[in-house]
Amino acid sequence: MGKKRHTAEEIVSKLRQVDVLTAQGRTVAEAIRQIGVTEVTYYRWR
């Protein structure tokens, strides 16, 4: 399986999605899994 590069717009969108999901009461880990990236990738983007 090849790597997928995300554009800057996609990264910003996914980070906002995580913020929305955590505001709705989900844990950060659940929100990260839902957007389809690993925890390492999420924290690297942050």
Side-chain angles (χ1 to χ4, degrees):
M1 180 187 261
K3 292 185 180 180
K4 179 180 190 287
R5 295 220 176 238
H6 297 278
T7 64
E9 292 83 16
E10 288 175 325
I11 292 170
V12 170
S13 171
K14 287 182 183 241
L15 290 173
R16 286 193 180 134
Q17 263 184 289
V18 171
D19 290 339
V20 168
L21 291 170
T22 54
Q24 292 174 348
R26 295 184 193 235
T27 65
V28 174
E30 289 174 339
I32 292 170
R33 257 186 263 118
Q34 185 152 357
I35 66 166
V37 297
T38 63
E39 284 192 50
V40 173
T41 300
Y42 170 75
Y43 287 114
R44 190 180 325 131
W45 288 349
R46 293 286 302 189

